[in-house]
Amino acid sequence: MNITVFIRYQVDPFQREDFRRYAQAWLRIIPRCGGKLLGYFLPWEGTNDIAWGVIGFESLAAYEAYRARLRADPEGRENFAFAQEKRLILREERTFVENVEPA
């Protein structure tokens, strides 16, 4: 795995359980579409409106292929629609980082 995508979500803190449902669906969908899911993380204490998803890929090309499969996946489309309908994600940011390999 050479590239990791950190997705930072600003979520409606009153819809925490709906975000949990959204994240749990990705636990099935992401691996099926080619991503190496490292985890979804919900706020526990402190800031109550920030959550994260972390997904790894072999390359940027692998990420692009994954995104195409994700858009074509019926359960993926349904999960995106669920989040939009519920308006549980207020903002989403993606940061791409390169893994540091041993020298």
Side-chain angles (χ1 to χ4, degrees), residues 22-92:
Y22 172 80
Q24 286 173 331
W26 290 129
L27 300 180
R28 296 183 304 276
I29 301 164
I30 289 170
R32 180 173 65 233
C33 290
K36 170 125 174 111
L37 183 63
L38 302 173
Y40 264 84
F41 304 90
L42 294 170
W44 181 253
E45 282 195 40
T47 303
N48 68 351
D49 68 340
I50 303 298
W52 298 270
V54 184
I55 311 166
F57 299 93
E58 293 297 322
S59 65
L60 193 53
Y63 170 76
E64 293 297 335
Y66 153 83
R67 293 289 293 172
R69 286 189 294 272
L70 199 61
R71 285 189 295 273
D73 185 89
E75 190 179 7
R77 286 194 314 267
E78 182 179 306
N79 207 35
F80 282 127
F82 170 75
Q84 287 180 335
E85 175 187 313
K86 293 284 190 172
R87 295 178 166 230
L88 56 102
I89 298 171
L90 306 175
R91 182 176 174 169
E92 183 176 323

Side-chain angles (χ1 to χ4, degrees), residues 1-6 36 38 54-59 95-103:
M1 215 174 2
N2 295 324
I3 294 176
T4 301
V5 180
F6 283 85
K36 170 125 174 111
L38 302 173
V54 184
I55 311 166
F57 299 93
E58 293 297 322
S59 65
T95 301
F96 294 80
V97 296
E98 177 182 7
N99 296 0
V100 175
E101 303 292 333

